[in-house]
Tab-separated table of all heavy atoms in Angstrom:
chain	number	residue	atom	x	y	z
V	214	LEU	N	11.334	-43.101	-16.844
V	214	LEU	CA	12.603	-42.791	-17.508
V	214	LEU	C	12.330	-42.873	-19.017
V	214	LEU	O	11.718	-43.783	-19.510
V	214	LEU	CB	13.633	-43.890	-17.131
V	214	LEU	CG	15.021	-43.729	-17.724
V	214	LEU	CD1	15.770	-42.574	-17.108
V	214	LEU	CD2	15.800	-45.010	-17.556
V	215	ALA	N	12.735	-41.847	-19.709
V	215	ALA	CA	12.628	-41.913	-21.209
V	215	ALA	C	13.903	-41.313	-21.799
V	215	ALA	O	14.139	-40.131	-21.613
V	215	ALA	CB	11.393	-41.054	-21.680
V	216	LEU	N	14.697	-42.141	-22.381
V	216	LEU	CA	15.979	-41.670	-22.911
V	216	LEU	C	15.842	-41.313	-24.382
V	216	LEU	O	14.882	-40.722	-24.787
V	216	LEU	CB	17.042	-42.765	-22.631
V	216	LEU	CG	17.138	-43.165	-21.164
V	216	LEU	CD1	18.140	-44.293	-20.942
V	216	LEU	CD2	17.501	-41.976	-20.292
V	217	PHE	N	16.834	-41.750	-25.253
V	217	PHE	CA	16.726	-41.431	-26.615
V	217	PHE	C	15.578	-42.124	-27.318
V	217	PHE	O	15.255	-41.852	-28.430
V	217	PHE	CB	18.041	-41.697	-27.350
V	217	PHE	CG	18.750	-42.917	-26.866
V	217	PHE	CD1	18.241	-44.172	-27.082
V	217	PHE	CD2	19.969	-42.759	-26.139
V	217	PHE	CE1	18.917	-45.284	-26.577
V	217	PHE	CE2	20.610	-43.890	-25.662
V	217	PHE	CZ	20.089	-45.163	-25.848
V	218	ASP	N	14.944	-43.059	-26.599
V	218	ASP	CA	13.848	-43.794	-27.209
V	218	ASP	C	12.534	-42.943	-27.260
V	218	ASP	O	11.828	-42.922	-28.266
V	218	ASP	CB	13.549	-45.099	-26.455
V	218	ASP	CG	13.494	-44.923	-24.941
V	218	ASP	OD1	13.671	-43.800	-24.459
V	218	ASP	OD2	13.246	-45.956	-24.234
V	219	TYR	N	12.191	-42.220	-26.124
V	219	TYR	CA	10.897	-41.518	-26.149
V	219	TYR	C	10.952	-40.061	-25.659
V	219	TYR	O	9.949	-39.340	-25.781
V	219	TYR	CB	9.906	-42.301	-25.259
V	219	TYR	CG	9.099	-43.321	-26.077
V	219	TYR	CD1	9.293	-44.653	-25.966
V	219	TYR	CD2	8.150	-42.831	-27.035
V	219	TYR	CE1	8.577	-45.576	-26.721
V	219	TYR	CE2	7.410	-43.721	-27.763
V	219	TYR	CZ	7.648	-45.117	-27.660
V	219	TYR	OH	6.966	-45.978	-28.404
V	220	TYR	N	12.064	-39.645	-25.088
V	220	TYR	CA	12.115	-38.277	-24.529
V	220	TYR	C	11.656	-37.223	-25.539
V	220	TYR	O	10.847	-36.369	-25.245
V	220	TYR	CB	13.519	-37.979	-24.067
V	220	TYR	CG	13.693	-36.614	-23.341
V	220	TYR	CD1	13.477	-36.506	-21.994
V	220	TYR	CD2	14.019	-35.496	-24.045
V	220	TYR	CE1	13.598	-35.288	-21.338
V	220	TYR	CE2	14.130	-34.252	-23.412
V	220	TYR	CZ	13.933	-34.138	-22.059
V	220	TYR	OH	14.072	-32.957	-21.420
V	221	MET	N	12.123	-37.375	-26.754
V	221	MET	CA	11.844	-36.318	-27.724
V	221	MET	C	10.392	-36.325	-28.150
V	221	MET	O	9.828	-35.244	-28.417
V	221	MET	CB	12.781	-36.479	-28.922
V	221	MET	CG	12.870	-35.197	-29.719
V	221	MET	SD	14.409	-35.044	-30.598
V	221	MET	CE	13.976	-33.713	-31.717
V	222	GLU	N	9.771	-37.486	-28.198
V	222	GLU	CA	8.354	-37.518	-28.531
V	222	GLU	C	7.534	-36.802	-27.413
V	222	GLU	O	6.539	-36.119	-27.697
V	222	GLU	CB	7.817	-38.950	-28.701
V	222	GLU	CG	8.197	-39.602	-30.047
V	222	GLU	CD	9.671	-39.864	-30.196
V	222	GLU	OE1	10.348	-40.071	-29.153
V	222	GLU	OE2	10.146	-39.916	-31.358
V	223	ILE	N	7.938	-37.019	-26.170
V	223	ILE	CA	7.219	-36.371	-25.087
V	223	ILE	C	7.374	-34.858	-25.174
V	223	ILE	O	6.382	-34.116	-25.012
V	223	ILE	CB	7.701	-36.938	-23.743
V	223	ILE	CG1	7.186	-38.348	-23.589
V	223	ILE	CG2	7.244	-36.056	-22.581
V	223	ILE	CD1	7.759	-39.176	-22.471
V	224	LYS	N	8.583	-34.407	-25.494
V	224	LYS	CA	8.767	-32.926	-25.615
V	224	LYS	C	8.022	-32.389	-26.818
V	224	LYS	O	7.432	-31.295	-26.747
V	224	LYS	CB	10.332	-32.693	-25.801
V	224	LYS	CG	11.125	-32.929	-24.570
V	224	LYS	CD	10.779	-31.902	-23.470
V	224	LYS	CE	10.698	-32.568	-22.126
V	224	LYS	NZ	10.239	-31.658	-21.054
V	225	ARG	N	8.008	-33.189	-27.897
V	225	ARG	CA	7.234	-32.769	-29.092
V	225	ARG	C	5.740	-32.657	-28.761
V	225	ARG	O	5.069	-31.761	-29.221
V	225	ARG	CB	7.457	-33.805	-30.247
V	225	ARG	CG	6.681	-33.516	-31.483
V	225	ARG	CD	7.211	-32.306	-32.218
V	225	ARG	NE	6.373	-32.067	-33.407
V	225	ARG	CZ	5.245	-31.330	-33.423
V	225	ARG	NH1	4.841	-30.794	-32.300
V	225	ARG	NH2	4.571	-31.165	-34.529
V	226	GLY	N	5.282	-33.572	-27.877
V	226	GLY	CA	3.905	-33.524	-27.486
V	226	GLY	C	3.585	-32.244	-26.697
V	226	GLY	O	2.535	-31.637	-26.832
V	227	GLN	N	4.536	-31.840	-25.834
V	227	GLN	CA	4.351	-30.587	-25.099
V	227	GLN	C	4.260	-29.408	-26.042
V	227	GLN	O	3.417	-28.522	-25.832
V	227	GLN	CB	5.560	-30.358	-24.181
V	227	GLN	CG	5.597	-31.122	-22.911
V	227	GLN	CD	6.826	-30.843	-22.060
V	227	GLN	OE1	7.649	-31.739	-21.867
V	227	GLN	NE2	6.987	-29.602	-21.652
V	228	ALA	N	5.130	-29.426	-27.070
V	228	ALA	CA	5.107	-28.287	-28.043
V	228	ALA	C	3.763	-28.241	-28.770
V	228	ALA	O	3.163	-27.185	-29.022
V	228	ALA	CB	6.264	-28.425	-28.995
V	229	GLU	N	3.255	-29.442	-29.050
V	229	GLU	CA	1.974	-29.527	-29.807
V	229	GLU	C	0.865	-29.021	-28.888
V	229	GLU	O	-0.053	-28.314	-29.327
V	229	GLU	CB	1.715	-31.002	-30.206
V	229	GLU	CG	0.559	-31.226	-31.103
V	229	GLU	CD	0.629	-30.462	-32.436
V	229	GLU	OE1	1.707	-29.932	-32.779
V	229	GLU	OE2	-0.400	-30.396	-33.112
V	230	ALA	N	0.881	-29.410	-27.615
V	230	ALA	CA	-0.102	-28.965	-26.659
V	230	ALA	C	-0.105	-27.443	-26.560
V	230	ALA	O	-1.170	-26.754	-26.473
V	230	ALA	CB	0.092	-29.577	-25.294
V	231	MET	N	1.059	-26.849	-26.543
V	231	MET	CA	1.173	-25.364	-26.465
V	231	MET	C	0.591	-24.742	-27.680
V	231	MET	O	-0.083	-23.715	-27.613
V	231	MET	CB	2.676	-24.985	-26.283
V	231	MET	CG	2.923	-23.616	-25.810
V	231	MET	SD	2.177	-23.188	-24.212
V	231	MET	CE	3.585	-23.417	-23.124
V	232	ARG	N	0.804	-25.367	-28.831
V	232	ARG	CA	0.207	-24.836	-30.122
V	232	ARG	C	-1.322	-24.953	-30.043
V	232	ARG	O	-2.039	-24.022	-30.408
V	232	ARG	CB	0.751	-25.681	-31.301
V	232	ARG	CG	0.552	-25.036	-32.621
V	232	ARG	CD	1.079	-25.943	-33.763
V	232	ARG	NE	0.323	-27.216	-33.881
V	232	ARG	CZ	-0.868	-27.360	-34.415
V	232	ARG	NH1	-1.475	-26.284	-34.937
V	232	ARG	NH2	-1.457	-28.507	-34.463
V	233	LYS	N	-1.817	-26.094	-29.515
V	233	LYS	CA	-3.285	-26.261	-29.413
V	233	LYS	C	-3.890	-25.382	-28.365
V	233	LYS	O	-5.099	-25.212	-28.314
V	233	LYS	CB	-3.564	-27.717	-29.122
V	233	LYS	CG	-3.380	-28.640	-30.323
V	233	LYS	CD	-3.754	-30.062	-29.960
V	233	LYS	CE	-3.590	-30.945	-31.147
V	233	LYS	NZ	-3.449	-32.381	-30.765
V	234	ALA	N	-3.036	-24.859	-27.449
V	234	ALA	CA	-3.613	-23.989	-26.401
V	234	ALA	C	-4.132	-22.675	-26.952
V	234	ALA	O	-5.021	-22.044	-26.414
V	234	ALA	CB	-2.530	-23.706	-25.325
V	235	LYS	N	-3.554	-22.271	-28.102
V	235	LYS	CA	-3.955	-20.967	-28.682
V	235	LYS	C	-5.468	-20.830	-28.914
V	235	LYS	O	-6.070	-19.928	-28.406
V	235	LYS	CB	-3.122	-20.635	-29.917
V	235	LYS	CG	-1.770	-20.014	-29.521
V	235	LYS	CD	-1.046	-19.432	-30.726
V	235	LYS	CE	-1.815	-18.261	-31.269
V	235	LYS	NZ	-1.180	-17.687	-32.442
V	236	PRO	N	-6.043	-21.726	-29.732
V	236	PRO	CA	-7.524	-21.589	-29.940
V	236	PRO	C	-8.300	-21.724	-28.668
V	236	PRO	O	-9.343	-21.076	-28.489
V	236	PRO	CB	-7.825	-22.720	-30.958
V	236	PRO	CG	-6.686	-23.583	-31.012
V	236	PRO	CD	-5.490	-22.805	-30.603
V	237	VAL	N	-7.791	-22.527	-27.722
V	237	VAL	CA	-8.517	-22.715	-26.470
V	237	VAL	C	-8.493	-21.393	-25.606
V	237	VAL	O	-9.550	-20.993	-25.070
V	237	VAL	CB	-7.891	-23.864	-25.637
V	237	VAL	CG1	-8.501	-23.962	-24.264
V	237	VAL	CG2	-8.031	-25.186	-26.378
V	238	ILE	N	-7.344	-20.764	-25.583
V	238	ILE	CA	-7.229	-19.506	-24.851
V	238	ILE	C	-8.231	-18.485	-25.428
V	238	ILE	O	-8.893	-17.767	-24.704
V	238	ILE	CB	-5.789	-18.971	-24.870
V	238	ILE	CG1	-4.857	-19.883	-24.104
V	238	ILE	CG2	-5.708	-17.505	-24.372
V	238	ILE	CD1	-3.375	-19.631	-24.333
V	239	LYS	N	-8.296	-18.479	-26.752
V	239	LYS	CA	-9.186	-17.555	-27.394
V	239	LYS	C	-10.654	-17.845	-27.091
V	239	LYS	O	-11.455	-16.946	-26.764
V	239	LYS	CB	-8.948	-17.608	-28.904
V	239	LYS	CG	-9.489	-16.439	-29.674
V	239	LYS	CD	-8.995	-16.480	-31.114
V	239	LYS	CE	-9.631	-15.328	-31.915
V	239	LYS	NZ	-9.186	-15.310	-33.270
V	240	GLU	N	-11.015	-19.135	-27.207
V	240	GLU	CA	-12.410	-19.525	-26.954
V	240	GLU	C	-12.799	-19.273	-25.507
V	240	GLU	O	-13.903	-18.753	-25.212
V	240	GLU	CB	-12.607	-21.018	-27.211
V	240	GLU	CG	-12.815	-21.388	-28.662
V	240	GLU	CD	-12.527	-22.844	-28.921
V	240	GLU	OE1	-12.757	-23.685	-28.041
V	240	GLU	OE2	-12.016	-23.163	-30.032
V	241	VAL	N	-11.905	-19.593	-24.579
V	241	VAL	CA	-12.199	-19.405	-23.137
V	241	VAL	C	-12.369	-17.883	-22.869
V	241	VAL	O	-13.292	-17.497	-22.165
V	241	VAL	CB	-11.118	-20.040	-22.240
V	241	VAL	CG1	-11.296	-19.572	-20.811
V	241	VAL	CG2	-11.156	-21.540	-22.347
V	242	GLY	N	-11.521	-17.070	-23.518
V	242	GLY	CA	-11.611	-15.625	-23.311
V	242	GLY	C	-12.949	-15.089	-23.833
V	242	GLY	O	-13.532	-14.167	-23.234
Side-chain angles (χ1 to χ4, degrees):
Chain V
L214 179 73
L216 304 177
F217 36 69
D218 50 358
Y219 269 108
Y220 185 88
M221 200 152 166
E222 282 69 26
I223 289 168
K224 291 293 140 185
R225 177 70 183 86
Q227 281 179 244
E229 188 60 12
M231 196 59 100
R232 197 182 63 78
K233 286 182 177 159
K235 277 192 65 182
V237 173
I238 293 167
K239 197 170 176 179
E240 278 160 33
V241 170

